Structure formats: structure tokens, C-alpha cells
Amino acid sequence: MTSAVTAAPPATRLQAKGITKRFPGVTALDHVDLHVAAGEVLAVVGENGAGKSTLMKILAGVQSPDVGQLMVDGQPVEFRSVDDALDAGIALIHQELNLSDNLDVAANIFLGREPNVGGWIRRKELEEQSREHLRRVGLNVSPRTLVRDLPIGQQQLVEIAKALSINARVLIMDEPTSSLSQRETESLMQVIAQLRQESVSILYISHRLGEIQRIADRVTVLRDGKNAGELERSEITHDAMVCRMVGRDVSRFYQRHPHTPGEVALQVKDVTTTAWPGESNSLAVKRGEIVGLAGLVGAGRSELLNAIFGVDPILSGTIQVDGQPLSAGDVRESIRSGLALVPEDRKQQGLILEMTIRENVSLPSLTSDAVAGCLVNRSRERSLCDSFRESLGIRMAGREQLAGLLSGGNQQKVVLAKWLALKPRVLLLDEPTRGIDIGAKEEIYRLIDQLAGEGVAILFASSEMEEIIGLSDRVLVMREGKITGELPRDKVSETAVMDLATA
Ligand SMILES: Nc1ncnc2c1ncn2[C@@H]1O[C@H](COP(=O)(O)OP(=O)(O)OP(=O)(O)O)[C@@H](O)[C@H]1O
Ligand SMILES: [Mg+2]
């Protein structure tokens, strides 16, 4: 295959040529090419299921391609394992982090490679070297801190420090900022700029196109497992990326209809959560109203939503749906009363990965759909699944595929479908579009708007300011476990929200 392939530009550090990867029912990658030079930041963009993570796993030796060739410094290589790729200087930071929670920072950085003498770990050396790597990523914590005690953004930086400790020359980051706060994202951007200076090559995946405009030297676009375009630095614009990703124009504006709020559907009075025992909160959401819950990461929004739904206990206070009080901490009762929660963490709370997509979608609505009270109505399950596949654009091999094999963003869509299938009267959404590509986001906004139009009361938490401003009829802002203020639609602005969100 040598003659057909065009030569890569000089100083190409890592190159993939004609990579094909098939899974049962899907061709995840179809003859994909990619190259990155020393000290270059290459962004890889594409819709959910376009093949980004699969390609990165192949570059990092996690999976092997069916067809195609990898080259490092112009030499053909074959990775049989992650260690092979690490030996070649290629490290992958996964879409879902991979640290050991119960170990401290230093142990995580050097896991399996601890400096030792005759098998005895040299703890002091371990910590000194860790400090050096932490300094490079701008993380100012003791190497003895347990990883589970760090916020997610700092854990991300520990992962990067770990990659640097093996002298990675190619660092692959798969959606590193999807759970970072604005400040953490900012420090990650600085770390990337620094690494670039040190001639590390970076492969960067994100659905946040603004970040890519800031840091990328070049963009490679994937669509349906194929190369769909390349953009040089001067060509990288939001619209140019989107147009290649989706193959059509996507409006950047929210389709939003005026809603006429009805009766109060959700009433929360003086509720105290275990996460913030010193603070109590009250709020009300009317039928047909969309209320945004804004705040910085860690402000207590998820804790409040979980407590309302009954996943977490409450210490005091009352919750009413349509005037009926709920017994606290009873999810089944919440569902029966018409509440639904689309959780933030799809893997832990939202999806049963070992079950099929069809089963997942119909799971919470099973009881209401059972024929004669006991049998599962298969044909109803199938049509339900198909209609959501269509309306949310879920990319899957088929209804019977296991949910765990879907791409990250498509898993999120299944979680959403599963709760929408219940036709809730009060819908709680926690970061509904995290990890979701731009075309599908638009679909989800349209759906939320439509549900409100049908009289559903909606309370959603989001860290994306644009989403809060674009969707909400009213915004509640939280800081340190407490709702600090309320903004009607005509008073919502980035500054107004930030003022209430920060002390
Ligand atoms: N182990 C697997 N078995 C079966 N199918 C898989 C497997 N891994 C990925 N796929 C499928 O391959 C396709 C590409 O998935 P991939 O995870 O690479 O997408 P992605 O571009 O990273 O999407 P996202 O933006 O949602 O993270 C998807 O259709 C996915 O369902
Ligand atoms: Mg992915």
C-alpha cells in the first residue's frame, strides 16, 4: 500500500494511514488518515459516534485496527498493548478517567513504575519526582493527597502529570474539559500551551468548539467514521467545523417558543441536603415553565436535584408534585408522581450498560406499559426505541446492541430517551447536553422547548452559560449549597449570573 499513500510532511511524529475498524453492525472507522507533528496541537472533532474515541484508542494501543498502518517518526509500528504505545511515547487520557481513587497522587503518577531498590519503593524519591511533574501541570497539591479528595478537574491534571512522567511525546486527551469548571479549563489551556512549547504533540477532542478555536493549530474532522475535512489554523471557525461535522448548516440560535406557565407543579420547601447540611432551599416550578439552575461546579446543583428526585435523602423540608407531598428518599414514589431525573453521570446512574438499548429505553416505563399488568409489551418497546432513535439521532447498530458499546454522547441520548419515555410531568435534567455534539444539542433544546409547550415543568442544571441563557424562562443561581438569587428571562445575562454565582 506504499505507493498510494502520500508522504507526510516532515517532522510528523505520529501518523495513522487508512485505519479501518469494524464492530458488529458498525464500521467505526473507514480508511481514516491522521497525522500530528512535534509541538502541534491537533483537534479532532465530529458528531457523537463519528469514531473519535475509537481512533484515539487505536493510536494508544488500547485497540488494534482491522486495516491500516501506524507510523512513529516515519517508522511503521504495531502496538499490541497500551505498554507498546507508552514505550513509543504515546499516552491517552480517557473520556472517563482512570485513576485509583484510594491511592494518593504520587502513587497514581507512578503506579507500576515506582522508583525502587530491590523491590522496596523509595517513597521520598517518588514524592520528589511527583512534585516536579505536578509543578509542570500547575497543580499545587501535596503528592500525599488521596485522589478521591481532589475535585475532578484536579484529577484530570494528575492524569496529565502521570502522562508526563512517562515522558509522553504525544498526549491524547479525549474530552478533557467535559467536567471541568471554567477556572480548571483555563489552567488546562495553559498547560497545553506550555507542553506545546516543550514540543509535545497534543491530540485534543472536544465538543466545545470555542476551546478548539483557541488552542488548535489544525483540525481534523470525522464524519460517520470517515475523514471529512482538515482545517488549518487560519481556517478554524465555528461554522467551518460544524459544517464539516454535520454536513449541513446548524443554526446557532435556540428555537424557542413563548410559554405560558400554569399551576405550580413542583414545590420544594426548606429542603436541606446531606451535602450542605447548613443550607436550606426553596423553589417552585410551574407547568410549562423552564427553570435553569446555574452555578459553578460544586455549587450543590446536582445534590439538590438528586434530593428532589429521592436518590439522596433530605435532612429536612418538603417536596410536593401537583400539590401532593412526596415521602423523601423514595425514587419509585417520585416516578409514580410524575417526576423524572436525567442524571449527570450517565454511567453510574443513568444506564445499565449490560442491557440492550431497547431495554434501557423502556426500563422506567415498563410498569405503565405492561400488557395485562405483567407482560412486557415488546412491540411498544420497539416503536418507542425507534421513535427516540429518530428524534434524538441516536447512532447505533440496532435496538439489540448493548448500551455499553455506544459512544459516550450516544449513551447520554439513551439516558434522555429512557426518562422522556415516561412522559413525566416534572422533568429534572442535570447537565442534559454534556458530551453531546452540536447537531444533537439543537435537537435536545427543541425537545425541551416542545415538552414545556405541552405543559411539562422543567428544572435543569447546566454549566454552559449559553444553554442557561438560551433555554430558561427563569434562572436560579446557586453558590455553596444555597440559592443566592433568581433572574427572570429579561434580566438574565452572563454578568448577572456570575455575580450571583461567585462571592
Ligand atoms: N467496543 C465496541 N463495540 C461495538 N461498537 C462500538 C465499540 N466501540 C465503539 N463502537 C461504535 O463505534 C462508533 C464510534 O464510536 P466512538 O466511541 O469512537 O465515537 P465518538 O466519536 O468518540 O463519539 P462521542 O462524541 O459520543 O464520544 C459508535 O457507533 C459506537 O457505538
Ligand atoms: Mg468519544
Side-chain angles (χ1 to χ4, degrees):
M1 59 184 280
T2 41
S3 60
V5 180
T6 48
T12 291
R13 180 167 283 164
L14 174 66
Q15 185 175 15
K17 297 197 277 195
I19 303 289
T20 294
K21 179 75 179 176
R22 293 187 194 92
F23 294 112
V26 226
T27 301
L29 296 169
D30 186 0
H31 294 92
V32 171
D33 297 329
L34 170 148
H35 62 95
V36 63
E40 184 179 39
V41 179
L42 175 71
V44 180
V45 302
E47 290 188 289
N48 296 133
K52 304 177 299 292
S53 295
T54 305
L55 182 57
M56 298 308 126
K57 286 179 195 161
I58 287 173
L59 295 176
V62 180
Q63 290 175 351
S64 45
D66 298 334
V67 183
Q69 180 70 60
L70 299 182
M71 320 266 285
V72 173
D73 297 326
Q75 300 300 313
V77 289
E78 193 177 330
F79 298 150
R80 290 200 187 77
S81 66
V82 174
D83 285 339
D84 283 355
L86 286 174
D87 287 342
I90 301 167
L92 167 65
I93 299 174
H94 283 267
Q95 200 162 353
E96 275 83 23
L97 292 179
N98 256 339
L99 295 172
S100 309
D101 276 14
N102 297 321
L103 297 181
D104 68 16
V105 168
N108 264 287
I109 291 179
F110 284 101
L111 198 62
R113 298 173 294 115
E114 296 87 353
N116 68 78
V117 178
W120 294 94
I121 292 176
R122 306 189 53 164
R123 188 61 213 192
K124 196 154 164 265
E125 207 173 311
L126 186 77
E127 288 183 13
E128 265 163 29
Q129 291 184 21
S130 297
R131 241 178 243 118
E132 172 59 23
H133 295 302
L134 292 171
R135 191 192 52 72
R136 273 181 83 190
V137 299
L139 183 56
N140 190 15
V141 300
S142 153
R144 295 188 185 182
T145 320
L146 289 183
V147 160
R148 64 157 181 260
D149 293 334
L150 293 176
I152 185 106
Q154 299 194 351
Q155 292 187 19
Q156 191 87 48
L157 292 173
V158 173
E159 280 262 20
I160 297 172
K162 180 176 177 166
L164 294 180
S165 76
I166 61 132
N167 282 322
R169 297 186 309 143
V170 178
L171 190 56
I172 306 176
M173 302 187 201
D174 195 350
E175 297 194 37
T177 54
S178 65
S179 41
L180 298 196
S181 68
Q182 235 160 351
R183 191 180 307 160
E184 289 164 343
T185 302
E186 204 50 48
S187 43
L188 182 67
M189 298 285 125
Q190 280 166 20
V191 171
I192 290 174
Q194 179 60 34
L195 291 172
R196 184 169 173 276
Q197 289 277 316
E198 294 167 19
S199 158
V200 175
S201 307
I202 314 262
L203 288 170
Y204 191 88
I205 297 184
S206 178
H207 288 292
R208 299 189 178 166
L209 302 181
E211 282 169 11
I212 289 176
Q213 270 171 280
R214 272 185 60 189
I215 60 162
D217 294 309
R218 197 157 48 82
V219 174
T220 290
V221 186
L222 295 183
R223 181 163 80 230
D224 289 336
K226 298 192 184 69
N227 284 99
E230 289 278 319
L231 298 167
E232 296 300 328
R233 177 84 204 131
S234 59
E235 302 167 322
I236 304 173
T237 62
H238 179 277
D239 292 356
M241 285 187 275
V242 171
C243 166
R244 283 164 184 78
M245 275 164 64
V246 297
R248 64 186 161 90
D249 283 333
V250 171
S251 77
R252 253 203 278 178
F253 303 99
Y254 299 99
Q255 298 292 320
R256 201 175 168 288
H257 302 95
H259 307 129
T260 21
E263 302 281 298
V264 169
L266 172 69
Q267 179 95 56
V268 174
K269 269 204 189 119
D270 305 321
V271 162
T272 306
T273 66
T274 49
W276 300 91
E279 305 288 356
S280 73
N281 287 297
S282 301
L283 62 91
V285 186
K286 295 181 179 141
R287 288 171 55 84
E289 190 183 32
I290 305 178
V291 176
L293 200 52
L296 301 178
V297 171
R301 294 166 301 168
S302 299
E303 287 81 359
L304 184 58
L305 291 179
N306 287 340
I308 295 174
F309 189 52
V311 184
D312 292 343
I314 58 174
L315 298 179
S316 62
T318 57
I319 297 156
Q320 292 189 350
V321 174
D322 289 335
Q324 297 298 312
L326 296 182
S327 5
D330 187 343
V331 172
R332 275 165 198 243
E333 190 189 319
S334 300
I335 294 175
R336 268 199 308 275
S337 319
L339 261 179
L341 168 71
V342 179
E344 176 181 28
D345 183 346
R346 57 189 173 242
K347 283 232 163 125
Q348 279 180 17
Q349 307 170 357
L351 212 58
I352 301 179
L353 301 176
E354 302 75 23
M355 281 170 75
T356 67
I357 298 166
R358 170 180 52 79
E359 289 164 326
N360 265 288
V361 168
S362 59
L363 203 57
S365 49
L366 272 187
T367 38
S368 55
D369 283 341
V371 174
C374 60
L375 291 173
V376 174
N377 185 341
R378 277 280 146 73
S379 76
R380 163 106 172 85
E381 258 191 11
R382 282 194 293 266
S383 67
L384 196 66
C385 190
D386 286 346
S387 79
F388 282 115
R389 178 185 191 169
E390 172 83 26
S391 66
L392 296 175
I394 304 176
R395 188 166 193 262
M396 57 187 180
R399 289 187 295 256
E400 305 305 319
Q401 195 181 5
L402 295 183
L405 300 182
L406 287 174
S407 78
N410 282 303
Q411 289 183 9
Q412 179 74 354
K413 293 184 201 171
V414 172
V415 176
L416 199 64
K418 159 177 157 179
W419 292 106
L420 292 179
L422 265 180
K423 300 207 169 59
R425 285 199 295 278
V426 177
L427 180 60
L428 310 172
L429 300 155
D430 197 356
E431 303 285 356
T433 63
R434 166 165 300 166
I436 291 211
D437 70 56
I438 192 139
K441 262 186 190 170
E442 200 189 29
E443 286 304 315
I444 289 172
Y445 297 148
R446 197 187 48 73
L447 213 78
I448 291 176
D449 181 66
Q450 182 191 332
L451 289 169
E454 290 164 7
V456 178
I458 293 167
L459 178 62
F460 80 102
S462 172
S463 302
E464 288 193 38
M465 194 65 84
E466 242 185 272
E467 196 161 291
I468 288 281
I469 296 173
L471 267 180
S472 314
D473 292 309
R474 185 156 59 86
V475 175
L476 301 173
V477 187
M478 285 188 82
R479 182 178 75 225
E480 293 174 8
K482 179 84 187 154
I483 296 175
T484 49
E486 175 174 340
L487 299 163
R489 182 166 177 77
D490 56 352
K491 295 276 189 317
V492 179
S493 69
E494 181 154 357
T495 352
V497 172
M498 283 314 281
D499 275 353
L500 289 167
T502 50

